[in-house]
Amino acid sequence: MMSTQYTAGMKCVQQREGEKEMKYQYLLCVLLALTLVACQPIQPVGTITQQTVTIPQTEDDKIANAMSAAPLSIAQDATIIDWPIDPTLGEGKVLRTGANGWVCRPD
């Protein structure tokens, strides 16, 4: 004949083992969920298109391009100098002479 204390103790041990098993199952589910989330491919938000820069060809285009980089109050009286074809030749060609001491160059 089993005593009631022994039966109660067995139930308590079985309950603790069941709780441990539930904790392990819960932990396994959480780890599985984290693994699935971490393995999802990254979806691109949008594609970035690179802007194309058109190189100004005529002197008027180069002057307009150079003036676009400065505020109008400075650009309207600035000297516009083109880049030299060869850096060893010194300064580039003066496209427009200015009066305020500022120099602008086209892209």
Side-chain angles (χ1 to χ4, degrees):
M1 172 164 116
M2 290 188 170
S3 70
T4 49
Q5 283 184 335
Y6 179 75
T7 311
M10 287 297 292
K11 286 183 181 179
C12 186
V13 169
Q14 288 175 348
Q15 186 177 4
R16 282 189 213 144
E17 287 177 2
E19 287 175 0
K20 277 185 178 179
E21 189 175 326
M22 291 278 294
K23 285 181 183 179
Y24 288 130
Q25 289 175 354
Y26 177 75
L27 182 61
L28 182 63
C29 289
V30 168
L31 289 175
L32 179 63
L34 287 174
T35 303
L36 290 175
V37 169
C39 292
Q40 291 296 318
I42 298 172
Q43 300 295 325
V45 176
T47 57
I48 299 173
T49 57
Q50 187 174 2
Q51 296 178 353
T52 57
V53 177
T54 57
I55 300 172
Q57 298 298 323
T58 66
E59 285 191 10
D60 290 335
D61 290 341
K62 290 180 180 182
I63 291 171
N65 179 269
M67 289 179 61
S68 69
L72 184 59
S73 60
I74 293 174
Q76 66 187 1
D77 293 324
T79 300
I80 310 294
I81 300 177
D82 196 5
W83 294 101
I85 296 172
D86 184 3
T88 60
L89 298 176
E91 280 292 319
K93 178 181 175 186
V94 175
L95 302 175
R96 186 185 79 188
T97 305
N100 63 2
W102 288 92
V103 175
C104 295
R105 294 182 182 263
D107 288 334

